[in-house]
Amino acid sequence: MITRRTLARLAFALAATTTFALPQAPALAEDGKTLTVATMWEALPLSMKPRRSRFFNESEILDTLIKLDFDMNLVPGLATSWERVSPTVWRFELRDGVTFHDGSAFNAEAAKFSLERVIALLPYAADLLNVKDIRAVSDTVLEIETAEPFSALPNQLTDAITVIYAASSFDENGEFVKPVGTGPWVFEDYKKQDRTTVVRNENYWGEAPKLDEIVYRYIPDHNARALALETGEVDFVVHLLPSDVARMKADENFKVYMEPSAGLYYGAFNAGDKSVLHDPKVRQAVNLMVDREILVKGALDGIGKPAWTFFPDDFPWAAKEISSYSFDTERAGDLLKEAGYEKNGTTWEKDGKPLTLRILSYSSRAEMAPITETMAALLEQQGIKTKVELFTWAGMLDLVKQGDYDVSVVFWTPEMTGHPDLHLKSQFHSKAGLNYQNWSNLEFDALVDKGRTLDAGPEAMETYAKAQEILQQDAPIIPLVHKIYVAASSKDVSGYQVHPSGFFYNFKNATKN
């Protein structure tokens, strides 16, 4: 049961959102050739850095060398095939005859230029790709030499950060100015805090889209975004509140799309000295005190899968035998007692002070507030005091980097590249740029460092399984919910399919009657 305090918080949050005015928009095109999409995030086509260039990949303005199909298998993109020709060298055969949106030729030199420019401008890309050298062997053959044997490279080349830019995407100083790619959609226009428009690439190397253009409308308010679809201001909407999903599913005027997809909502624990979660016993106890079944039902109306491990069971690299947590308040109490806490009435205390967690999250994702509030309520029921604060993503991150928190509830996409290296190393390695949790485990570091050198097979599986077991037992996180991707459209939209990565809008086959 969710506490009255949580219900009051949620009611206040929902009431507050209704005070925002719905952004004005022109009437939708009547010829059925324009699709208007309401998005939670602003599409920022004039910058590479926000959200790791994800919009360029989501909207398919730019292509990657390798893609993921609807079963998360590697398939050709701008590269038609690839092979590992030595422990540290990968060779890619590239498509011939492909042109960028500006008419210039795509070839190995263009791919080399783009990847080197990305690495220079976005430091995150350097560790993602682990590159020592890139060579254009011929117009259609590209070689990438890695700094060490690196089996994950083909998977990493599906990541949004590795999209291939034309030289005209950059100015004479090498700074990014606009996205010019080879994808099925061409960047057309951007109005700040309003919309981004893309149009069909008539010269696309694959099958050209059926629509003429797509307009991505920026509507950050969750209620306003759903209302825009219901009033006919937009054709398609992403990131719906659970209450909107139920209502639209019952209305024949709308189509609701719900599919399991990449994504984990989890609490990142501050393992540093500033937090009570520095003690692994307390971290383990918190994992045992939150009933994920109740969390999913109470916060998301059942739209999600209870998460007891970082990777979902159907992730190809998920450890088959792992010490999964379960809801066990008795064991949680024993762990807290071992950590020096005692139950005083209904509250856990140590040295006369209640065990209190400062829990941070951000409000831009529709699900974050109810998930965070419900987790806090469930911990309160078990005698742990909580202080919940919601910020913008940047505001929350500033506090996290300062170590001024106990738990930050975040979203991560553990299937995005179909390989564990991106997720385990970049998030939890003690030297990783994204590890803001002050957590360090040398055995874990050694395992993920080794795992990225191994080809897929029993040794690699065993190595990553051991790393996952350490992540589970040392508990720098509390997994909460594996995501169910939800979107909705008017009944006139056809041909849309949810991609399991959660990172392609995939409107190439969409039509509008």
Side-chain angles (χ1 to χ4, degrees):
M1 179 180 294
I2 308 306
T3 63
R4 291 182 178 179
R5 187 176 78 167
T6 294
L7 291 174
R9 284 174 176 171
L10 292 177
F12 175 81
L14 290 173
T17 60
T18 62
T19 63
F20 291 97
L22 184 68
Q24 293 183 348
L28 298 180
E30 296 180 358
D31 60 4
K33 293 297 185 180
T34 296
L35 188 75
T36 303
V37 181
T39 65
M40 178 180 67
W41 306 100
E42 183 181 13
L44 295 169
L46 303 184
S47 177
M48 290 173 64
K49 295 180 181 180
R51 302 181 64 228
R52 294 178 30 244
S53 314
R54 197 172 293 160
F55 175 70
F56 305 148
N57 204 37
E58 286 176 329
S59 62
E60 296 186 276
I61 297 174
L62 294 95
D63 289 314
T64 49
L65 292 178
I66 301 173
K67 295 179 179 288
L68 292 166
D69 67 12
F70 283 85
D71 294 314
M72 295 297 288
N73 297 315
L74 298 177
V75 294
L78 290 174
T80 57
S81 64
W82 49 94
E83 63 175 329
R84 198 175 187 175
V85 296
S86 79
T88 58
V89 176
W90 287 85
R91 180 173 296 157
F92 302 85
E93 295 284 341
L94 306 183
R95 292 185 186 276
D96 194 14
V98 175
T99 58
F100 288 101
H101 298 155
D102 63 2
S104 61
F106 165 76
N107 53 32
E109 282 290 352
K112 168 182 163 65
F113 165 82
S114 178
L115 291 172
E116 289 179 341
R117 192 92 288 272
V118 165
I119 290 170
L121 292 177
L122 303 174
Y124 172 82
D127 188 58
L128 180 77
L129 300 177
N130 204 16
V131 168
K132 179 179 180 182
D133 189 33
I134 303 177
R135 299 182 287 270
V137 178
S138 69
D139 278 353
T140 58
V141 177
L142 180 75
E143 286 188 351
I144 299 180
E145 182 179 358
T146 55
E148 60 186 344
F150 187 35
S151 64
L153 182 65
N155 291 82
Q156 309 297 59
L157 288 170
T158 71
D159 189 272
I161 206 170
T162 69
V163 289
I164 301 300
Y165 299 86
S168 61
S169 300
F170 307 91
D171 63 18
E172 62 274 10
N173 298 316
E175 294 300 319
F176 178 75
V177 289
K178 68 176 182 178
V180 181
T182 60
W185 301 99
V186 181
F187 168 63
E188 175 77 6
D189 187 40
Y190 168 60
K191 291 182 173 59
K192 187 176 181 180
Q193 294 282 296
D194 185 10
R195 71 196 62 214
T196 293
T197 302
V198 300
V199 297
R200 179 173 58 206
N201 178 10
E202 301 289 355
N203 299 312
Y204 181 52
W205 54 266
E207 183 179 353
K210 297 175 174 59
L211 295 164
D212 284 346
E213 69 175 3
I214 300 177
V215 178
Y216 293 96
R217 287 269 315 283
Y218 173 50
I219 306 178
D221 180 71
H222 308 312
N223 292 290
R225 201 163 51 250
L227 183 60
L229 178 62
E230 292 178 305
T231 59
E233 301 246 9
V234 303
D235 304 298
F236 194 98
V237 63
V238 295
H239 296 106
L240 294 174
L241 292 170
S243 56
D244 294 323
V245 172
R247 186 175 68 255
M248 289 185 186
K249 284 181 70 175
D251 191 328
E252 63 181 10
N253 291 308
F254 305 105
K255 296 179 180 178
V256 174
Y257 311 87
M258 294 175 54
E259 296 289 343
S261 69
L264 173 72
Y265 298 94
Y266 72 92
F269 292 156
N270 181 2
D273 293 336
K274 291 184 179 180
S275 172
V276 293
L277 295 174
H278 176 71
D279 189 332
K281 287 185 171 61
V282 181
R283 301 198 296 263
Q284 292 164 3
V286 171
N287 265 282
L288 293 164
M289 284 180 163
V290 177
D291 188 329
R292 312 308 200 268
E293 297 283 348
I294 292 178
L295 180 80
V296 171
K297 291 176 183 177
L300 302 175
D301 289 349
I303 303 174
K305 180 181 178 182
W308 297 97
T309 59
F310 184 73
F311 290 126
D313 293 339
D314 53 0
F315 182 56
W317 290 84
K320 303 308 177 188
E321 296 181 5
I322 192 168
S323 302
S324 179
Y325 288 101
S326 61
F327 182 54
D328 189 341
T329 57
E330 183 177 350
R331 175 59 182 150
D334 290 342
L335 286 166
L336 288 179
K337 289 176 182 177
E338 291 174 21
Y341 291 87
E342 292 292 336
K343 199 80 171 281
N344 183 2
T346 60
T347 303
W348 287 100
E349 294 183 352
K350 187 176 185 179
D351 300 326
K353 297 179 180 180
L355 174 55
T356 304
L357 299 180
R358 185 186 188 190
I359 303 175
L360 312 180
S361 192
Y362 53 102
S363 57
S364 52
R365 283 190 177 274
E367 307 91 341
M368 298 309 293
I371 288 174
T372 303
E373 294 276 2
T374 303
M375 182 189 75
L378 293 173
L379 289 172
E380 292 263 3
Q381 288 182 351
Q382 300 303 322
I384 294 180
K385 299 293 184 182
T386 64
K387 181 182 180 183
V388 174
E389 300 171 73
L390 296 176
F391 299 88
T392 63
W393 167 256
M396 183 196 74
L397 196 57
D398 283 343
L399 292 172
V400 167
K401 289 179 178 179
Q402 297 169 29
D404 191 11
Y405 78 108
D406 295 302
V407 186
S408 62
V409 181
V410 296
F411 178 75
W412 183 247
T413 50
E415 293 181 16
M416 189 164 50
T417 65
H419 192 283
D421 180 74
L422 169 65
H423 317 291
L424 297 181
K425 192 174 195 305
S426 67
Q427 290 285 94
F428 305 114
H429 193 287
S430 61
K431 296 181 180 179
L434 296 178
N435 183 353
Y436 305 125
Q437 300 172 228
N438 306 299
W439 182 68
S440 176
N441 185 297
L442 296 181
E443 185 181 359
F444 177 89
D445 288 355
L447 287 166
V448 294
D449 285 341
K450 178 183 177 182
R452 63 174 14 204
T453 72
L454 301 172
D455 288 325
E459 185 179 6
M461 284 293 296
E462 182 181 357
T463 300
Y464 280 117
K466 289 179 180 177
Q468 291 171 63
E469 182 66 24
I470 292 173
L471 189 69
Q472 194 76 357
Q473 289 301 311
D474 210 21
I477 65 171
I478 175 172
L480 296 170
V481 183
H482 294 301
K483 183 177 178 63
I484 299 293
Y485 185 93
V486 179
S489 73
S490 70
K491 65 180 180 180
D492 297 331
V493 175
S494 301
Y496 175 76
Q497 183 180 358
V498 174
H499 193 279
S501 72
F503 284 96
F504 300 101
Y505 286 124
N506 187 45
F507 291 129
K508 290 193 298 295
N509 295 318
T511 60
K512 191 178 81 169
N513 298 329

